[in-house]
Amino acid sequence: MAKKERAGTAQAAERQRERAKNTAAEARAKSAAREARYMSAKTRGMQQKAQAKRG
């Protein structure tokens, strides 16, 4: 009985680690997407500024 309980806690700990990895990966993906959006807005603004200078 004790062996089964220990095995169960190991599985739970492993699931917890997997969940932590997934949430960390999701957070990285979200921040990367946010960065890309910011950069595209920045370059779009720079292009508009250059176009305005040209007339």
Side-chain angles (χ1 to χ4, degrees), residues 1 7-8 10 14 18 24-25 28 32 35 37-38 41 43-45 47:
M1 190 73 175
E14 193 165 325
E18 285 295 319
R28 278 196 301 276
E35 275 293 312
R37 254 183 271 135
Y38 167 74
T43 54
R44 187 168 42 251
Q47 287 172 345

Side-chain angles (χ1 to χ4, degrees), residues 7-37:
T9 55
Q11 283 178 337
E14 193 165 325
R15 276 196 301 269
Q16 184 73 24
R17 265 186 251 119
E18 285 295 319
R19 249 181 262 129
K21 281 183 190 176
N22 289 341
T23 53
E26 286 172 14
R28 278 196 301 276
K30 281 182 183 177
S31 70
R34 206 174 300 127
E35 275 293 312
R37 254 183 271 135

